[in-house]
Amino acid sequence: MTQILKTITPVNGGIYVERPLATPAEAEAALARARVAQAEWRRVPVSERARLLSAAVDAFVAAGPEIAREITWQMGRPVRYTPGEVRGFEERARYMISVAEGALADVDVGPKEGFRRFIRRDPLGTVFVVAPWNYPYLTAVNAVVPALMAGNAVILKHSHQTPLCAERFAEALKNLPPGVFQHLHADHDTTAKMIGSGAVDFVAFTGSVPGGKAVEAAAAGRFVGVGLELGGKDPGYVRADADLKHAIDTLVDGAFFNSGQSCCGIERIYVHASVYDSFVEGAVELTKQYVLGDPTEEATTLGPMVRASAADFVRGQTAEAVRQGARALIDAKGFAADRPGTPYLAPQILTGVDHSMRVMTEESFGPVVGIMKVASDEEAVRLMNDSPYGLTASVFTRDVDAAIVLGDQVATGTWFLNRCDYLDPALAWTGVKDSGRGCTLSALGYDYLTRPKSFHLRLPG
């Protein structure tokens, strides 16, 4: 009997999408098609791949307004913001296409009399992309486009919360040869079997730490590459010399954009004692201006979380911190849409927090942030590093040299000065500790989607 995927929209709790899940036989057939198609696709010149994928980006952007509305209904981000995901998709895709020729070029290792020597970057084969719901296109494009540009075949398995995103990829990429790009709606068991089948050559996974462990377990013994982007508990540090208004505006947005459902969102803030009171006052004032409500309305600036259980988890973290001595500075009664047991959750700022509280150490993935007072750079660095995660971290200061010195001391994949919660496609996107392993974006991202093949040629005569 065919299983049915049912996507429940957080907007009103109704069923928004229904799709049949792939059977094991359908998954095996998709893997077989990918293997055959990739053998031909790898022979297509990079310039031709670039032409085809650029046309696909054009098609995707042309459908942008419909795509943006679908994002809102699938996962709850307000309509005033979802067009930004289309723009971000375009920026990353076009950048990765533009650098592919150089990134994939043969590496000349230098002259040696009587020999020609170079290293060629071979595609891996079939890349299996497992994408999440929170930034459904911005996460998937990081792997899908460069994997295809590198000469791999791609199979995309999107979150059950955002199945239409996989279908939008397929529609945009329909000009590619059959089998080069495919998508499947699949359950966890089928996904694990595909990873462990021996027919997948690389897995690009974005999701939770338990999800990453499940991917590694499924791939064990197959000797295939696994790229993992697993989230974070990202900190921001406000030094005494910071532009305070800019720091407040940026960090509050970093904490609450997308209802806090961002792997690189701000989840904890450390502020120098000399500006602490002013920072907290400004952050509270700004946070009270959010409009929580129906994300299909233009006035809404904070939509629902993806599901009621996720909101209840954050409510539980917050209540526990308050019982342990934290102060909640935002009165949820000021947000009429906040209703316990639903995904609609007001933003919250906590003070009086410390690292004995889960809200400062455990990923919240929701609209709550704790603010701690610190006396020095040394204390801030120690607290920023006191985490099992290391995806991004931020400092706000007018001293660029000091920012670089501090960045060298913080265990993180990306170090920001005077900004946060942003991916520049020219820079490597990577994490340390439980935030994962591997790299996407930038020219370096191609290193993980290819394997080096050395050519050692002794010339005749």
Side-chain angles (χ1 to χ4, degrees):
M1 182 177 177
T2 302
Q3 292 183 295
I4 301 297
L5 177 162
K6 295 184 179 182
T7 298
I8 306 299
T9 174
V11 177
N12 57 23
I15 296 175
Y16 181 61
V17 179
E18 291 187 81
R19 292 290 186 273
L21 292 172
T23 65
E26 289 169 335
E28 289 180 15
L31 289 167
R33 285 193 298 270
R35 182 70 64 189
V36 172
Q38 193 271 332
E40 295 300 322
W41 178 244
R42 63 173 292 153
R43 296 184 176 90
V44 174
V46 174
S47 59
E48 177 62 7
R49 296 178 207 156
R51 186 189 68 80
L52 291 168
L53 285 167
S54 294
V57 176
D58 293 341
F60 184 89
V61 172
E66 295 85 2
I67 289 171
R69 284 193 292 272
E70 289 171 0
I71 295 173
T72 295
W73 278 98
Q74 287 175 99
M75 53 76 64
R77 189 182 312 149
V79 290
R80 66 189 296 158
Y81 301 128
T82 47
E85 180 133 359
V86 178
R87 293 191 295 271
F89 172 99
E90 180 181 16
E91 178 190 27
R92 295 184 194 181
R94 295 204 193 282
Y95 181 83
M96 294 306 291
I97 292 168
S98 74
V99 300
E101 193 87 48
L104 297 170
D106 292 345
V107 179
D108 187 338
V109 299
K112 182 178 181 181
E113 187 176 354
F115 291 86
R116 181 183 173 197
R117 301 171 302 158
F118 61 91
I119 302 168
R120 180 154 290 170
R121 303 180 192 275
D122 265 6
L124 299 176
T126 297
V127 173
F128 188 29
V129 179
V130 183
W133 53 264
N134 61 320
Y135 285 92
Y137 293 105
L138 293 184
T139 50
V141 71
N142 293 353
V144 170
V145 168
L148 291 168
M149 282 301 303
N152 299 292
V154 170
I155 297 176
L156 172 62
K157 201 289 291 186
H158 224 296
S159 166
H160 286 192
Q161 193 66 41
T162 46
L164 297 184
C165 298
E167 296 173 15
R168 286 291 186 177
F169 266 98
E171 178 64 22
L173 294 164
K174 65 183 181 182
N175 60 334
L176 299 187
V180 170
F181 175 86
Q182 301 173 80
H183 76 278
L184 290 175
H185 302 306
D187 62 18
H188 292 308
D189 185 58
T190 299
T191 300
K193 287 179 179 177
M194 290 176 68
I195 294 170
S197 67
V200 166
D201 301 291
F202 186 83
V203 183
F205 173 82
T206 304
S208 67
V209 171
K213 291 179 178 178
V215 169
E216 284 198 322
R222 292 296 183 181
F223 307 115
V224 298
V226 174
L228 303 172
E229 201 270 85
L230 305 179
K233 190 72 179 175
D234 292 6
Y237 170 40
V238 182
R239 296 182 85 224
D241 68 338
D243 177 335
L244 208 57
K245 182 180 185 307
H246 174 73
I248 291 167
D249 290 348
T250 305
L251 287 169
V252 168
D253 180 70
F256 300 136
F257 187 81
N258 207 38
S259 298
Q261 298 168 126
S262 173
C263 54
C264 59
I266 293 296
E267 295 216 358
R268 49 199 174 108
I269 301 174
Y270 307 100
V271 183
H272 191 273
S274 62
V275 293
Y276 176 82
D277 290 340
S278 296
F279 179 90
V280 171
E281 181 182 354
V284 169
E285 181 182 350
L286 181 57
T287 301
K288 288 179 179 178
Q289 296 174 27
Y290 277 88
V291 178
L292 174 67
D294 184 342
T296 66
E297 298 178 358
E298 283 290 339
T300 298
T301 58
L302 194 71
M305 293 187 67
V306 68
R307 59 183 64 90
S309 59
D312 286 341
F313 174 81
V314 178
R315 289 186 178 100
Q317 266 193 345
T318 301
E320 181 183 271
V322 170
R323 289 195 299 271
Q324 293 173 324
R327 290 183 59 218
L329 303 185
I330 306 298
D331 185 356
K333 294 179 181 178
F335 297 83
D338 182 298
R339 299 185 301 277
T342 77
Y344 287 87
L345 176 64
Q348 187 57 265
I349 291 175
L350 299 173
T351 57
V353 292
D354 59 47
H355 281 214
S356 69
M357 301 174 183
R358 285 193 304 141
V359 77
M360 292 300 286
T361 58
E362 179 182 71
E363 189 172 27
S364 302
F365 219 64
V368 61
V369 66
I371 306 177
M372 282 183 68
K373 183 188 299 184
V374 297
S376 64
D377 288 349
E378 291 75 18
E379 183 180 9
V381 168
R382 177 180 61 78
L383 290 168
M384 284 191 281
N385 284 335
D386 182 28
S387 173
Y389 296 101
L391 188 57
T392 79
S394 309
V395 65
F396 289 77
T397 178
R398 301 176 193 270
D399 189 333
V400 176
D401 292 335
I404 294 172
V405 170
L406 292 174
D408 278 335
Q409 299 173 52
V410 176
T412 187
T414 296
W415 177 246
F416 291 109
L417 167 63
N418 297 331
R419 78 178 313 176
C420 62
D421 193 23
Y422 175 77
L423 276 69
D424 184 332
L427 295 173
W429 185 242
T430 185
V432 299
K433 298 188 279 189
D434 281 0
S435 285
R437 70 180 191 200
C439 165
T440 59
L441 298 179
S442 80
L444 298 182
Y446 281 103
D447 291 345
Y448 292 83
L449 296 165
T450 57
R451 63 171 62 86
K453 183 175 183 178
S454 294
F455 283 71
H456 191 161
L457 311 177
R458 184 168 187 165
L459 302 179

